[in-house]
C-alpha cells in the first residue's frame, strides 16, 4: 500500500512534534509480512517485518526495516507500526536494536491533521501512541 511515513523516534528516543514535522517524510510502499524463512532462526517463527519500499525500485528499502513489527493502531487516516531497527556501527559489529515507531499516512488530509494534533499530556516529546 502506498503511504507517507514519518519516523517518530531517533535511536529509540521519541522525537518532538516539531522534529517530526520538520523531518523528512518518506513516500513509498508499505510491505508488512512474516520474516523470510531463512531468517526465522534469528527472529523467531512468527516474527513480522515492516519495510518501506522505493516506488521506483521495489527491491530497495527507503529506511531501516522494522523487525518484530506490530501494528499498534489504525485510526484517523493512518497506521501506527512499531518495531526494532537493527543498526550497525561497522562491518563486523553486532547489531544494535533500537525501538522505532512509524506513522504511516494513508489518507493525507486526516492522517496529517492527526499527526499535527497528537500529543500526550505531561509528555515532553509531543507524541505518544496511547493519545486519543
Amino acid at each position: 500500500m502506498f503511504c507517507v511515513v514519518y519516523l517518530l523516534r531517533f535511536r529509540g528516543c521519541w522525537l518532538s512534534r516539531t522534529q517530526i514535522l520538520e523531518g523528512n517524510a518518506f513516500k513509498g510502499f508499505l510491505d508488512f509480512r512474516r520474516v523470510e524463512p531463512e531468517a526465522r532462526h534469528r527472529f523467531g517463527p512468527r516474527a513480522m517485518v515492516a519495510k518501506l519500499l522505493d516506488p521506483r525500485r521495489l527491491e530497495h528499502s527507503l529506511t531501516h526495516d522494522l523487525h518484530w513489527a506490530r501494528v499498534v493502531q489504525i485510526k484517523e487516516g493512518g497506521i501506527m507500526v512499531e518495531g526494532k531497527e537493527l543498526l550497525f556501527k561497522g562491518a563486523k559489529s553486532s547489531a544494535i536494536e533500537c525501538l522505532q515507531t512509524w506513522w504511516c499516512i494513508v489518507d493525507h488530509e486526516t492522517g496529517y491533521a492527526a499527526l499535527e494534533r497528537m500529543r500526550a499530556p505531561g509528555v515532553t516529546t509531543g507524541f505518544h501512541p496511547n493519545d486519543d
Side-chain angles (χ1 to χ4, degrees):
M1 143 185 7
F2 187 80
C3 60
V4 178
V5 173
Y6 285 88
L7 305 180
L8 306 183
R9 297 176 187 244
F10 179 74
R11 296 197 182 264
C13 299
W14 287 104
L15 297 172
S16 68
R17 184 171 35 169
T18 55
Q19 288 174 319
I20 294 168
L21 293 173
E22 291 173 358
N24 291 332
F26 297 95
K27 296 178 182 179
F29 290 102
L30 179 64
D31 183 26
F32 191 87
R33 63 177 64 194
R34 282 193 182 208
V35 174
E36 299 295 326
E38 60 271 5
R40 289 189 182 151
H41 69 281
R42 160 103 164 82
F43 300 107
R46 295 185 182 169
M48 303 295 282
V49 64
K51 297 180 181 187
L52 186 65
L53 303 176
D54 188 346
R56 292 170 294 229
R57 297 181 300 164
L58 291 177
E59 68 277 354
H60 182 259
S61 292
L62 295 173
T63 63
H64 294 286
D65 297 345
L66 287 185
H67 298 279
W68 302 286
R70 65 187 184 98
V71 174
V72 177
Q73 56 183 281
I74 302 172
K75 70 174 193 176
E76 297 188 55
I79 304 168
M80 190 171 293
V81 179
E82 188 175 74
K84 291 185 180 181
E85 292 179 325
L86 300 180
L87 305 176
F88 295 91
K89 289 184 179 179
K92 293 186 177 182
S93 67
S94 34
I96 300 169
E97 297 175 7
C98 293
L99 290 174
Q100 180 58 270
T101 307
W102 292 352
W103 178 243
C104 307
I105 297 176
V106 181
D107 181 24
H108 298 290
E109 291 178 17
T110 56
Y112 190 77
L115 178 64
E116 289 181 331
R117 278 195 320 274
M118 287 186 186
R119 61 177 166 56
V123 178
T124 58
T125 60
F127 204 106
H128 195 273
N130 294 330
D131 185 29
D132 284 323

